[in-house]
Amino acid sequence: MAEKKEPTRKRKEAEAANRRSLLAPAQTKEEKRAQKEALRRSRADARAAFLRGDEAALPARDRGPVRKFVRNYVDARRSVGELFLPLVFIVFLLSMIRNQTVALASIALMYATIVAAIIDGIIMSRRLKREVLKRFPETTTRGLGRYAWSRSILMRRTRTPRPQVKVGEKI
């Protein structure tokens, strides 16, 4: 058995050692301010890169040429789902009117839009998967329809990363 090189520290000494900072000396206010500003700038740059669609700045679910194609495919067409959110706002306003007929008609219109958006999403998903298999034959299409539909129901302005093609543009 090996011998002890030094005696065990007293509890008081061990606690005193823990109280001392193991990190660099405390920062000055100017250093903290500069560090915060650099962090804010780097976050703003990362957000701008994400919105531009830079591949390195995208989360894993949005990366790759197939996902980029899906985004462009969705952004190049109009969809019924884009109208849903503005329509809900209009329905909300119309439902405040005391006229029962107007309120019920607006709610019926909202439900009709939901059904139309679902049907549009199914049709878009099938066409998209066919096109993806044509362009990227080695790729699986699993999850692409849901990814496309979730993008298509957002208003064009609120999509992230931002649309890189115009409506009606060939991709």
Side-chain angles (χ1 to χ4, degrees):
M1 193 158 157
E3 286 188 31
K4 283 176 77 171
K5 294 181 182 171
E6 56 188 53
T8 304
R9 294 187 302 183
K10 302 277 185 204
R11 181 180 201 154
K12 193 175 187 179
E13 294 167 356
E15 287 176 353
N18 286 340
R19 268 189 230 113
R20 270 187 272 128
S21 175
L22 300 176
L23 304 174
Q27 294 177 328
T28 63
K29 284 185 179 181
E30 291 78 28
E31 290 172 334
K32 284 182 182 179
R33 202 172 296 130
Q35 186 179 21
K36 271 186 179 179
E37 181 61 28
L39 184 62
R40 189 192 63 74
R41 246 184 278 114
S42 72
R43 283 184 180 157
D45 292 344
R47 174 135 176 89
F50 169 69
L51 291 175
R52 272 193 316 271
D54 289 351
E55 198 69 23
L58 295 175
R61 73 178 180 98
D62 291 330
R63 285 192 188 143
V66 176
R67 295 294 174 124
K68 183 175 183 176
F69 173 76
V70 170
R71 286 194 303 273
N72 289 340
Y73 184 89
V74 170
D75 294 338
R77 64 188 292 274
R78 292 250 181 241
S79 68
V80 180
E82 290 178 61
L83 304 174
F84 183 69
L85 198 57
L87 186 71
V88 167
F89 182 70
I90 292 169
V91 166
F92 175 70
L93 293 176
L94 290 175
S95 67
M96 291 183 184
I97 296 175
R98 294 268 187 215
N99 189 340
Q100 284 279 331
T101 309
V102 173
L104 288 174
S106 65
I107 291 172
L109 179 64
M110 183 183 68
Y111 282 121
T113 305
I114 291 172
V115 170
I118 290 170
I119 291 169
D120 181 50
I122 291 169
I123 293 169
M124 177 194 58
S125 176
R126 287 184 178 178
R127 287 181 182 163
L128 173 71
K129 286 179 181 181
R130 215 174 305 136
E131 191 65 31
V132 165
L133 286 175
K134 217 185 296 179
R135 292 184 187 218
F136 306 96
E138 72 286 344
T139 307
T140 178
T141 60
R142 186 169 182 213
L144 292 181
R146 192 170 41 248
Y147 178 72
W149 189 75
S150 68
R151 186 168 177 89
S152 74
I153 61 172
L154 293 173
M155 290 186 302
R156 193 171 168 82
R157 267 182 287 160
T158 62
R159 294 177 184 168
T160 54
R162 290 196 177 117
Q164 297 175 351
V165 295
K166 294 183 181 342
V167 175
E169 190 176 316
K170 282 285 185 188
I171 49 171

